[in-house]
Amino acid sequence: MKLKVNGETREIAGESVNIDEALAALQVSDPLYVTVELNGEIVDRAAFAATRVKDGDALEFLYFMG
């Protein structure tokens, strides 16, 4: 499936994965500290396993620095 990740087109295997699986497939560094925005809405970390990502979705991975 093709996703827009931080403004760039990326491709991962599968037709639908959850956010945790997408983080692993995209080899996101420090997945425990990333905030995920899916199609313009921030996803609560507790919902990562239940939130599905589909072909054509847009993901933004945000890291907040203190």
Side-chain angles (χ1 to χ4, degrees), residues 13-63:
E15 293 182 23
S16 177
V17 297
N18 67 33
I19 291 179
D20 285 328
E21 293 166 336
L23 289 169
L26 294 165
Q27 300 176 339
V28 172
S29 61
D30 297 322
L32 295 176
Y33 301 105
V34 68
T35 298
V36 176
E37 185 179 281
L38 174 62
N39 297 324
E41 295 189 27
I42 292 179
V43 179
D44 188 273
R45 180 167 304 282
F48 280 13
T51 303
R52 306 303 290 180
V53 179
K54 300 174 293 299
D55 188 52
D57 280 348
L59 288 170
E60 292 287 330
F61 300 135
L62 310 166
Y63 295 92

